[in-house]
Amino acid sequence: MTSGTVEAAPGVVVLRDRLARFLSQYGVLVALVILLIIALIWTPSFYTPSTMRNTAKQAAIIGIVTIGQFVVLMVRGIDLSIPAVIGFTAVLVAENGPGTVPGLAIALCIAGAVGALNYYLVHRRQVPAFVATFGMFVAVEGARLAYTRGSASGTVDEAIVNLGRASVLGLNVTTWIWIALVAVTWAFLHRTRSGRRMIMVGSNPTMAEYSGIRVGRFILGAFAVSALLACLAGVLLAGSSGYVDRFMGQGSDLDSVTAAFLGGARFAGGQGSIIGAAVGSLLLASLLTVIVLLGWSPQLQLVAKGLVLIAAIALQSSVRSIAR
Amino acid sequence: MKRTRRTRPVLIAATAVVAVVLAGCSSTSSSNESSAPEASSAPVPTASSAPESTSAASAGAEVTLSDPYSTSLAAAATTTVDTTAFKKDAPYKLATITQGPINGWGTIFDLTLNKALADSGKVDMDNILYAAWNGKTENQTKAMDDAIAAGVDGIILTSLSRAGLSASVERATAAGIPVVTCMAGVESPSYTVEVSRNIPAMGYASMKALIDKLGGQGKIVMLHGIAGVDAAEFWKLGAEAALKEAPGIQVVSEQYGNWSTADATDVMRTVVAQQSEIDGVWVGGLEMGPGVVNAFQEAGRDVPFIAGTNPTNGFLKLAKDNSLDFFAAPFPPGAAKACVDVMLQVLDGQSVQKFIDVKDVMDGTAPYGTDQLDTWYVPSLNDDFIGPLVYDEQFYADNGFARK
């Protein structure tokens, strides 16, 4: 038993703790840098402007819903209704929908209602967020199916396609929208009193309540932001793809949770960095691009994606425990 | 002990990364050694005879492949089933266990099935036992058990799991209930009749058309549906069999697009950006066609020849609007009517073939190329409609398929 408890020299301990703290804060960035180095060595074509632009656009769609997921995780929730909101929005703005402007209006109303209902179920009725938002996912998916009668595919209005594909200063508009939203969210969380209160609500809701903070308002805000950003992602995804089908938004719940976790968010609430979550989104999109470029077999792509993500989060978790 | 606990997750993570990198290296090297795609878990079949035609424009250039599924279908096609034991007087009490209206294909299938049953005048429409898959094999196995317990006269089954529904079909047959598998069968030979397309042959025919179009030389991309799903893997199997005969064709990229336009667009954007030369694209499920076309158009490149399976009305519209050159092997949901016809023959005690290829009993189900686009594209119906028309356009328009 004593063989495993060899004490390290004090200098080594200090260095190890500093490294652990660094990785705990910037682990996802380090993972991204490693991936980019691998890409540089094995698939230099990753660095062509069009590939990088496409990767950034893909990251932006994941990133926008990740912002919503991040703020919900911040208040100890989780939002699994995101894919349904994206899917319904995409169907509503398609050319076989009610028309672009009415479609957008209806989509916003649906998103608002989903956010409010999620809040009501989770906060007022004390239904676990996992169950409440999954139930909402099933209900909204069912509503979409009833509305489309199983026929969801179609082209998208040119204005939305132009929005999804337009570029400014070499980057897609979707990417710029994502960057702006990340900046706004960062500023809200770290530069406003409300933001700091939101972090407190997640860290210790009981203390927040005793401190006079209206906890429910922040939970309502988090779910509303998540649903509205899912709605925005639906519009941008429809524009980017130029075509809508029943699979729109599929997988965005798990992608957004993964990216938020890579940014340090945890179910315990009040943790994580929105910048880290954004880098996590970029890591996910870059990973997909690199795997495609490497020409790995389709089966191996899925294995690789899963293992790399597990590895990234396991590495981050382990250095966190050392840092503590 | 403390240090061991702390370092264990790091070791696990490091091991996982190393394993992925090593696996990736071995995969990369193997794919560099040969232009043929990597083998799937199922054996890659070979064609047992030369195709009838080598022209991409000539429809129906299908062959019998040598994989177990194709050979069992070939044997069933020459087997006559004596159905006198199933003969009953109308009205019949039936169970219909289908995919369900989760997409255009499933919705058209159910609409056609119900109309064919009602139009026959021989089915008790008030007591049909209907169950949909809705993503779970268990829903179909439970429905099979319910149908057996209810003592129905016959079951029309679209099995979403060849292995998962085998035992259920065996139980139904043992209970004296005929089972007509419709557009998706089971592994067990216990079914009464299978009405479907030869699915690997569709993959073969479409890939063969692409190979012929390129004169046996060129670089292509393969885009599959969802990994592990029967239709996707069988189409892949047939396409790989055709590739085995074409050493001059190089598969520069092979991806899964999950039958999703968004996913197909994402992977094809990356592939198109990387590959400066793509002579053709093979698509296992042409509902992903818009993603392929978008990726080329966004990159400002000409859309190459597209060959694939299951052309939707949306793909045909895209082909018409963009003057695309293509070849497609249909997988028609309208075949539900043929399944009803066969079930009625079985319950009437008529002899039937154990396997009926839909292309032999329905127009517009044999593979076709660009020259037949106007014949099979239906402008008045929306992108999710999948032809050919079995009933008039108004019927589908009234049931949610009208183009707005």
Side-chain angles (χ1 to χ4, degrees):
Chain A
M1 291 294 282
T2 53
S3 61
T5 56
V6 178
E7 290 301 325
V12 175
V13 171
V14 171
L15 191 65
R16 185 195 66 191
D17 287 350
R18 279 185 182 170
L19 181 66
R21 263 194 296 275
F22 175 81
L23 284 175
S24 172
Q25 255 186 315
Y26 303 106
V28 64
L29 190 60
V30 171
L32 180 64
V33 169
I34 291 171
L35 183 70
L36 294 178
I37 291 170
I38 289 172
L40 186 65
I41 297 166
W42 284 345
T43 62
S45 57
F46 178 87
Y47 290 95
T48 57
S50 57
T51 302
M52 289 175 69
R53 210 168 28 243
N54 288 337
T55 304
K57 182 160 68 171
Q58 205 177 340
I61 300 283
I62 301 170
I64 287 169
V65 290
T66 297
I67 294 169
Q69 191 70 268
F70 182 87
V71 293
V72 171
L73 283 164
M74 185 62 83
V75 295
R76 299 191 169 193
I78 185 169
D79 191 351
L80 300 181
S81 62
I82 286 172
V85 175
I86 293 176
F88 212 153
T89 301
V91 163
L92 285 167
V93 299
E95 281 183 329
N96 52 6
T100 305
V101 175
L104 276 172
I106 297 168
L108 280 170
C109 291
I110 290 172
V114 167
L117 279 168
N118 280 337
Y119 152 77
Y120 175 77
L121 291 169
V122 172
H123 186 65
R124 293 288 185 85
R125 308 301 306 170
Q126 295 294 303
V127 179
F130 189 91
V131 178
T133 58
F134 181 71
M136 192 57 64
F137 164 80
V138 175
V140 176
E141 277 288 284
R144 182 176 67 102
L145 197 58
Y147 168 70
T148 62
R149 298 162 85 179
S151 182
S153 303
T155 46
V156 179
D157 185 75
E158 207 173 326
I160 290 179
V161 174
N162 291 338
L163 174 71
R165 294 183 178 173
S167 289
V168 176
L169 299 174
L171 277 182
N172 191 271
V173 167
T174 305
T175 311
W176 284 117
I177 291 173
W178 172 45
I179 291 169
L181 286 169
V182 169
V184 168
T185 310
W186 181 87
F188 170 76
L189 288 172
H190 300 286
R191 290 287 181 267
T192 68
R193 190 195 292 177
S194 294
R196 285 190 289 272
R197 285 181 170 180
M198 179 175 250
I199 294 170
M200 190 178 174
V201 165
S203 304
N204 194 331
T206 310
M207 183 176 278
E209 196 99 54
Y210 286 147
S211 306
I213 296 172
R214 293 184 175 182
V215 171
R217 280 190 180 182
F218 287 97
I219 295 174
L220 172 63
F223 278 112
V225 163
S226 179
L228 291 170
L229 289 179
C231 180
L232 174 65
V235 174
L236 294 171
L237 184 61
S240 169
S241 298
Y243 198 85
V244 166
D245 64 21
R246 71 191 176 98
F247 292 106
M248 285 276 154
Q250 204 174 55
S252 55
D253 45 356
L254 292 181
D255 279 349
S256 61
V257 170
T258 307
F261 264 62
L262 285 168
R266 293 294 181 265
F267 290 124
Q271 299 176 61
S273 147
I274 189 65
I275 305 289
V279 177
S281 306
L282 203 53
L283 178 66
L284 286 179
S286 302
L287 181 62
L288 183 72
T289 304
V290 168
I291 287 173
V292 169
L293 291 176
L294 280 171
W296 288 3
S297 71
Q299 294 86 349
L300 195 60
Q301 289 180 15
L302 298 173
V303 176
K305 187 178 172 187
L307 286 180
V308 167
L309 295 177
I310 290 168
I313 291 180
L315 193 66
Q316 200 180 43
S317 299
S318 65
V319 293
R320 275 181 168 221
S321 66
I322 293 170
R324 275 199 293 272
Chain B
M1 287 298 281
K2 208 173 180 181
R3 174 175 291 182
T4 307
R5 266 202 311 275
R6 281 175 172 174
T7 52
R8 190 171 295 149
V10 180
L11 285 173
I12 293 169
T15 308
V17 171
V18 169
V20 171
V21 169
L22 288 177
C25 289
S26 68
S27 163
T28 309
S29 58
S30 69
S31 64
N32 286 341
E33 286 164 13
S34 165
S35 61
E38 295 192 28
S40 66
S41 54
V44 178
T46 53
S48 61
S49 64
E52 293 159 10
S53 166
T54 54
S55 164
S58 67
E62 291 185 4
V63 293
T64 302
L65 304 173
S66 63
D67 64 288
Y69 171 74
S70 299
T71 49
S72 72
L73 284 190
T78 57
T79 303
T80 302
V81 182
D82 177 7
T83 63
T84 48
F86 300 129
K87 187 172 168 57
K88 287 192 171 69
D89 292 329
Y92 304 122
K93 185 180 178 186
L94 297 181
T96 57
I97 301 169
T98 69
Q99 176 190 289
I102 57 170
N103 57 10
W105 196 97
T107 306
I108 294 166
F109 184 94
D110 282 2
L111 284 171
T112 310
L113 185 78
N114 288 328
K115 183 165 171 56
L117 289 169
D119 287 354
S120 74
K122 294 181 177 176
V123 178
D124 179 0
M125 294 301 291
D126 294 331
N127 286 302
I128 282 186
L129 209 81
Y130 169 79
W133 168 63
N134 284 339
K136 286 183 184 173
T137 302
E138 306 89 271
N139 289 342
Q140 291 200 316
T141 52
K142 182 184 178 298
M144 287 292 290
D145 288 339
D146 290 345
I148 295 166
V152 297
D153 297 323
I155 300 172
I156 295 175
L157 168 69
T158 302
S159 165
L160 269 294
S161 169
R162 287 183 61 77
L165 269 295
S166 281
S168 299
V169 170
E170 285 170 4
R171 283 198 293 276
T173 307
I177 300 170
V179 179
V180 172
T181 58
C182 188
M183 298 305 281
V186 293
E187 283 179 357
S188 167
S190 301
Y191 63 91
T192 311
V193 181
E194 176 159 356
V195 182
S196 185
R197 285 295 344 268
N198 182 328
I199 303 174
M202 294 170 63
Y204 181 91
S206 47
M207 180 58 89
K208 188 79 176 76
L210 175 57
I211 292 165
D212 290 346
K213 179 76 181 179
L214 301 182
Q217 296 285 333
K219 294 180 176 178
I220 67 163
V221 174
M222 291 177 80
L223 191 60
H224 305 293
I226 297 174
V229 173
D230 287 343
E233 298 301 336
F234 278 136
W235 283 333
K236 181 170 179 266
L237 199 72
E240 286 170 351
L243 278 173
K244 260 186 112 177
E245 299 166 358
I249 297 290
Q250 186 186 355
V251 180
V252 292
S253 186
E254 186 181 2
Q255 306 294 333
Y256 278 95
N258 302 320
W259 287 321
S260 151
T261 303
D263 287 2
T265 306
D266 280 342
V267 294
M268 284 305 296
R269 273 183 185 137
T270 303
V271 171
V272 169
Q274 187 200 24
Q275 303 291 338
S276 57
E277 192 187 333
I278 297 173
D279 302 311
V281 182
W282 181 87
V283 188
L286 282 166
E287 55 269 55
M288 296 184 288
V292 175
V293 175
N294 285 343
F296 279 97
Q297 288 181 337
E298 259 187 60
R301 287 167 60 174
D302 290 339
V303 182
F305 187 78
I306 296 176
T309 57
N310 194 31
T312 59
N313 208 40
F315 174 75
L316 297 179
K317 181 177 187 295
L318 203 65
K320 192 167 179 62
D321 292 348
N322 294 277
S323 303
L324 301 181
D325 198 7
F326 73 94
F327 186 90
F331 192 62
K337 182 177 184 311
C339 300
V340 171
D341 292 344
V342 169
M343 176 55 86
L344 295 178
Q345 287 171 23
V346 169
L347 293 174
D348 193 38
Q350 298 175 31
S351 295
V352 287
Q353 279 176 281
K354 196 167 173 69
F355 172 65
I356 295 169
D357 193 329
V358 173
K359 83 177 167 66
D360 297 331
V361 293
M362 271 180 79
D363 284 340
T365 55
Y368 60 85
T370 316
D371 56 337
Q372 291 185 49
L373 171 60
D374 289 332
T375 308
W376 304 119
Y377 170 52
V378 188
S380 65
L381 299 182
N382 68 19
D383 286 6
D384 275 306
F385 176 75
I386 299 170
L389 288 165
V390 174
Y391 297 109
D392 60 39
E393 291 174 37
Q394 196 57 46
F395 169 71
Y396 297 101
D398 290 344
N399 284 286
F401 287 92
R403 184 174 292 285
K404 291 175 184 169

